[in-house]
Amino acid sequence: MRKIAMLGAGFIGQFYANALHGQRSCDRISVVYSRTEKTAMDFAEKFGVPHWTTSMEDAINHPETEIVVISLPNNLHEEAVLACAKAGKGVLCTKPLGRTADEAKRMLDAVEQAGVFHGYLEDLCYTPKFIKANQSVRQGSLGSILWVRSREAHNGPHSDWFWDKEKSGGGAILDLGCHCIEIARHFIGKNVRPVEVMCWAATQVKPIDAEDHAVGLVKYENGAIGQFEVSWNFRGGMDLRDEVMGTEGTIWINNFLRTGFEMFSGVQEEGYVAEKAETNTGWLFPVGDEVHELGYTHMFTDMLNAFDKGTAPLEDFYDGYIVNEIMDAALKSVKSRQWEPVNLRIWRGGDGGEVKSALKDFDNDYYLIKEEKLPNGNVGVILKSKDTGEVIRKSL
Amino acid sequence: MRKIAMLGAGFIGQFYANALHGQRSCDRISVVYSRTEKTAMDFAEKFGVPHWTTSMEDAINHPETEIVVISLPNNLHEEAVLACAKAGKGVLCTKPLGRTADEAKRMLDAVEQAGVFHGYLEDLCYTPKFIKANQSVRQGSLGSILWVRSREAHNGPHSDWFWDKEKSGGGAILDLGCHCIEIARHFIGKNVRPVEVMCWAATQVKPIDAEDHAVGLVKYENGAIGQFEVSWNFRGGMDLRDEVMGTEGTIWINNFLRTGFEMFSGVQEEGYVAEKAETNTGWLFPVGDEVHELGYTHMFTDMLNAFDKGTAPLEDFYDGYIVNEIMDAALKSVKSRQWEPVNLRIWRGGDGGEVKSALKDFDNDYYLIKEEKLPNGNVGVILKSKDTGEVIRKSL
Amino acid sequence: MRKIAMLGAGFIGQFYANALHGQRSCDRISVVYSRTEKTAMDFAEKFGVPHWTTSMEDAINHPETEIVVISLPNNLHEEAVLACAKAGKGVLCTKPLGRTADEAKRMLDAVEQAGVFHGYLEDLCYTPKFIKANQSVRQGSLGSILWVRSREAHNGPHSDWFWDKEKSGGGAILDLGCHCIEIARHFIGKNVRPVEVMCWAATQVKPIDAEDHAVGLVKYENGAIGQFEVSWNFRGGMDLRDEVMGTEGTIWINNFLRTGFEMFSGVQEEGYVAEKAETNTGWLFPVGDEVHELGYTHMFTDMLNAFDKGTAPLEDFYDGYIVNEIMDAALKSVKSRQWEPVNLRIWRGGDGGEVKSALKDFDNDYYLIKEEKLPNGNVGVILKSKDTGEVIRKSL
Amino acid sequence: MRKIAMLGAGFIGQFYANALHGQRSCDRISVVYSRTEKTAMDFAEKFGVPHWTTSMEDAINHPETEIVVISLPNNLHEEAVLACAKAGKGVLCTKPLGRTADEAKRMLDAVEQAGVFHGYLEDLCYTPKFIKANQSVRQGSLGSILWVRSREAHNGPHSDWFWDKEKSGGGAILDLGCHCIEIARHFIGKNVRPVEVMCWAATQVKPIDAEDHAVGLVKYENGAIGQFEVSWNFRGGMDLRDEVMGTEGTIWINNFLRTGFEMFSGVQEEGYVAEKAETNTGWLFPVGDEVHELGYTHMFTDMLNAFDKGTAPLEDFYDGYIVNEIMDAALKSVKSRQWEPVNLRIWRGGDGGEVKSALKDFDNDYYLIKEEKLPNGNVGVILKSKDTGEVIRKSL
């Protein structure tokens, strides 16, 4: 049973509170901080939190506080993390860790130097589907991973500060790309070094300075590609999908709009259908339990179990830092219009490595390129001579 | 925080334990009972349960036991419930409540006379999708409910006693139909009286006495139909789907095989893919978190929250009893080959009621039958004269 | 190349004309008949038909007419068929063949006595998906067929005469059930005798005398069940799905609302989205080529190829007659509230037959009931003693 | 009715023949050419073609030949096209038009100078889903198109020459990218100039020189992006999907693996399941009528109707040339690792143009960034001051 200080009482803080207090949870938020008194009080009342404050320091240093959850706008992460480190309190920080890799690195350095527990709240690496999919990938069901596409697109974030580049630090890449990059990094292998990034981004629709749409390719040392696609211009709800391509298999995950719950309604629905839903009549695709399906439940379980045991969680500030470095390279590539290296000032994974060559022997003389059943029922093979390189077709 | 006695340590008991101890749960199983010592010990070790016993009475009367969960074969439910009532302990019983309505009624009477808390563990009325769908139905998004199809089909149950009619009390209807009947009853309205049942059942494939396949229609007093389809002969995994048809809308729920997680693997997967999965290569459709998606998590949350507050849970023994009466009528109909009345000896819902007529005025002279856009782009209406009953077509 | 007389110029006649003249077809409608001059003229102009008439006899006996297509309201089928038989012209009749089995039998007798070519225009037994699925079933990919569900539901037919019981002969069963019954009969095997029917039907919503919703079970001699579900009360578009359950496999077909084409539009779409679509904003599920996907293209190819070769098409008046007998039994069952026999006055299929028993030997002493992988990774079997019938569980 | 010379009798030639002779087609292949006598003879017998030859010139100049279809390996397209131009015969050429833009330009010049009819056989711009989707896009249902993803991935082509870079001219980009590029170009608008390309490609798995996997972004003059994803390394069948994102809507098309036909089979299926299917047990996803769903039927209808009427088909050699120029730029980008311009030596579309700005007034002082319903039921808006650029949140 853990007592938690919640910094920030907005949209994401409320989602977190629902997860932390959800089901038969033994954990409780014991103090909430918000800049504005009313927001803090309302949050405290809604979630049954005994203490509230408008002083971040007071919340962190509250005698009941065992661990701190940061749900603040991006521009306040560093300040909050440094305060936790100073106070010697464990800290869980929402995504992205920093607005830049520099910021993220300072946070990582601070918690490591202070020796406090740190977790990076990358919920989409904790969705039940992701967890099971990643287990299958890790045990080899897909062979070597060649390519991952991770996509998050919707019609724009809820909170005003997201739209202000000074506070948020950027646009759709910083807001959504951080998820997609880390999802791909998991599937490809967190031990494999990301080496370079090519990225396109543009402000196509929204009246903002930052990009509202971007597509990027992250190349890993073994040749695998992590592709991220992010947008604030998508119409139709929240598009949250991943695709994984391995030498031996494929995974397709849909986390939101097509998960086995379909409703047609001719009646104006009162209330909330699903996160980022655009309509409430016609065909709708709600999600049963959003807090769970978006990974918040499993995320806090892992974080707090790790905190209890004194081990590292699946995702910590080091991971947040790596993601920030990749995003920095992506943003640089948008401007330079070419591949940009990922400059990892800290790297704790492996080096070298390649996707294993898949040359398969057909017989002593030929490699097998492929085997296939044709419409006429015959099975044919395409072979390549080991000697001459000539390609031939043969019926079996 | 609650301390629980678990009666039964088999397949379903383990699913329940995963739910009860899942995530950051504050509840704990404090004693487990199994007929066989080794099973009890293994369970205790696996789930960190401090006490185990081969005496059902000892488990129930254990000083730490606050509430009892029954995960026993169907033929042992009554004995266990009576013992709980006698001991004055709250009791949660797995589905179906009884092998017959007589048995269920005796259990209901016993817990009510003893004044103990009772919950009916109908997990499929607690899946996240069901909960949200039922909210939409209750707030009128589908208008009046006309028909519900609920289907559960797979390749047969895990435990040996299910296949022994004496122990299980029956076949696919008792095993699976109880789920489907209660799902439909929820959507149609638990206050609406089920009046009669028509059912087909057969033993098509399995070497057993009981039916391995059945389809039944339950007619409610307002004219709505609850259709259940159950089978132990289905190939391809676990087919767990619901469809709801209302005057104003439609809901389709798929709880298992198509929930947004699709995997192709050319490699023999080690270990478990999903409940009742038949293959582990080719295209597979795992579920992220089965315990959650099958409703166990939300079910125990509701049960134990209600127990804490002294209120009734969503599903209690009264509901279990109603379901048993409907199943008795269904089995009678299989033999009599005609509609059979549901003889409710206890009924606490409403009486009367009809699906509201949907006559819509087009103008003073005509009812509107339908309005439609045709391939040529025209909009046409079909009207019925209020006076003569004549049906005409008109272009708008 | 064939010259066709089209009787009827309404909704279905236009669908047929689109199919007959579709793509690079060599066939042409050379004369069209409608009761009303303007309808005939408009049709002739729209489809480039050289001749039109308001005399059914003139159309049939037109010197260019090689074969006649009947797209008339149900109450005019018999008259038209008898005229074709008298004229010695081949005839293709839309579904259902008759309003009753008596009517259908007279039509069958007439064409057979006259020796003219006859085809029953059951388009849903010609959808590309059905054709391929039925091939798989026929070659044994699903083992023995145990159960078929065929469902057609939408918000009611286009034409006014459908809503007039005198002209249409009935309600949703006659309009839609004829499709579903024949689909199931194909999958189960056209040689297997349908023996009895149990059916529920009601008028739940529409201001009409006939049923607007029905569910029926057709039992075949081998124990297989063909389940039909039909409604004019469905909301959300056209629900056109089939499910087939065999001892060795499963088929799920969705012909309309979920076929791989999904569109979200925030803009009011001009024109037609899809047959029976209810909205034109929000999420929409159009079908690429309706004429093709609904089977019209392959149907006329089979019909006219058979006519060219002098062979029988896949579906002829005999099939239409069988379907009418099954519907008569269904309507009788609605009233009698019990299973009713199908009284086939003509039967050209086989007799006897049973779904093959699926008893599988595990070893000399035991039958195998099932084998399964459990969450703990173990493989278990459920066995039944050949001697005592006792059921046991065993780990492998 | 048209008489066709077919050049090439391999896999694609047979697909074309099935389309050309399919259903009740009035067209016929009257002569077939293949380099090898047996292949030509077998083709002639299989498709009822009266003449066969091993001389390309003889086939083209055959007195019955009205129009020529080229189904030859890529390295033979130019020779065949030049021969058709010389002979004054209309010509339809399979995709890609050339191995390079130079080759394609020479072919375009040749047919235009000769004044012969020319069609580019880009079948995937003729799938029934594409045609209907493109109609919706053209009439504005999606607003301005921002981004198109088109993906084709499978386990490698059927024919041996594809794997030989000399004959095929390249790898997955040339084989599959040509489809994806043209699909995106259609949705974005064929009148909008493609300006530059960024592309990643690698040989990850197959023992070949050319790339077996590539992802590219094509930027159009109005800022829209056409993204192509192609691979010969995909496992699980044929992945053929498109996604279109517009300011007002979204389209998702799945042409193959999820089109509403799902089959589980425990029995080894004899024969062919679907193009590029990898298994024939477990869950399978066949397509009803491949020739139709892959666009061949509508493609030849458009081509031959245009030929009859003397108009241009939807896709002609000009389109093929544009696609080749884009692929040349893509291949250049793979090497240069930066965006490369598309050097269109011929351009017949428009110039300039931008995705229209979507600034929406909220009131006199603010732009509306977004409006959204929150989980608490409130509707909130994000606004941007026209004056200061400040972003604020407001509840309605």
Side-chain angles (χ1 to χ4, degrees), chain A residues 336-390:
Chain A
S336 73
R337 296 165 43 81
Q338 60 189 17
W339 288 90
E340 290 290 344
V342 180
N343 295 312
L344 295 176
R345 286 162 282 173
I346 307 175
W347 173 245
R348 296 166 182 170
D351 276 303
E354 258 187 82
V355 169
K356 257 181 286 174
S357 158
L359 286 190
K360 285 182 194 160
D361 276 356
F362 178 74
D363 58 20
N364 285 340
D365 299 328
Y366 287 96
Y367 295 121
L368 175 68
I369 296 186
K370 77 175 301 218
E371 177 176 335
E372 187 178 24
K373 196 160 214 171
L374 297 174
N376 65 10
N378 290 347
V379 174
V381 288
I382 311 278
L383 305 176
K384 179 173 188 162
S385 166
K386 295 176 182 180
D387 192 21
T388 66
E390 190 199 12

Side-chain angles (χ1 to χ4, degrees), chain B residues 19-277:
Chain B
L20 286 164
H21 287 188
Q23 307 299 341
R24 298 281 297 170
S25 172
C26 61
D27 307 305
R28 280 297 172 274
I29 301 168
S30 56
V31 54
V32 60
Y33 152 78
S34 170
R35 281 158 295 178
T36 57
E37 196 172 296
K38 178 157 173 27
T39 306
M41 284 175 64
D42 286 352
F43 185 101
E45 191 184 341
K46 182 171 178 185
F47 294 101
V49 176
H51 311 289
W52 61 266
T53 171
T54 59
S55 156
M56 194 194 290
E57 291 230 335
D58 286 358
I60 294 169
N61 290 292
H62 194 284
E64 289 189 4
T65 298
E66 294 177 282
I67 190 164
V68 180
V69 173
I70 300 176
S71 316
L72 297 164
N74 297 345
N75 59 326
L76 302 175
H77 291 189
E78 185 176 3
E79 176 191 343
V81 165
L82 297 186
C84 291
K86 193 176 156 201
K89 296 283 173 88
V91 58
L92 309 178
C93 184
T94 193
K95 58 89 226 172
L97 184 58
R99 288 174 296 179
T100 62
D102 284 349
E103 225 177 59
K105 186 170 180 303
R106 288 196 298 269
M107 288 187 249
L108 172 59
D109 290 344
V111 292
E112 293 195 331
Q113 280 157 22
V116 298
F117 181 90
H118 51 104
Y120 174 53
L121 298 177
E122 175 42 81
D123 57 289
L124 293 182
C125 292
Y126 286 99
T127 72
K129 285 171 187 163
F130 176 87
I131 289 172
K132 204 172 225 179
N134 201 33
Q135 283 167 357
S136 289
V137 168
R138 297 276 75 78
Q139 72 189 28
S141 302
L142 269 61
S144 300
I145 302 306
L146 302 169
W147 173 83
V148 179
R149 178 212 197 195
S150 182
R151 175 173 177 83
E152 180 164 0
H154 51 59
N155 207 18
H158 304 271
S159 305
D160 50 0
W161 62 263
F162 260 108
W163 300 96
D164 177 334
K165 200 171 173 176
E166 172 52 28
K167 290 182 188 152
S168 64
I173 293 175
L174 207 65
D175 180 26
L176 309 176
C178 59
H179 288 303
C180 300
I181 286 167
E182 189 62 353
I183 286 167
R185 190 179 152 243
H186 262 278
F187 281 126
I188 290 168
K190 286 173 77 171
N191 201 39
V192 184
R193 183 192 283 266
V195 289
E196 53 181 355
V197 186
M198 172 68 209
C199 186
W200 162 83
T203 311
Q204 289 183 316
V205 172
K206 303 289 185 189
I208 55 173
D209 300 325
E211 76 281 353
D212 56 18
H213 196 168
V215 177
L217 303 178
V218 182
K219 196 190 289 170
Y220 286 79
E221 199 169 13
N222 65 358
I225 292 288
Q227 174 175 316
F228 62 89
E229 297 177 14
V230 295
S231 184
W232 286 344
N233 303 331
F234 180 77
R235 301 298 308 275
M238 183 143 77
D239 186 13
L240 212 51
R241 285 178 293 156
D242 304 319
E243 302 179 15
V244 189
M245 226 179 105
T247 51
E248 305 295 334
T250 296
I251 283 178
W252 291 336
I253 290 177
N254 197 329
N255 277 307
F256 228 74
L257 280 172
R258 299 291 184 272
T259 62
F261 187 173
E262 310 172 72
M263 177 161 78
F264 180 88
S265 176
V267 180
Q268 198 74 11
E269 173 121 0
E270 287 163 39
Y272 177 79
V273 174
E275 201 187 335
K276 269 95 180 178

Side-chain angles (χ1 to χ4, degrees), chain D residues 250-263:
Chain D
T250 295
I251 282 178
W252 290 337
I253 289 177
N254 197 329
N255 277 309
F256 227 73
L257 279 173
R258 299 292 184 272
T259 62
F261 186 172
E262 309 173 72
M263 177 161 78

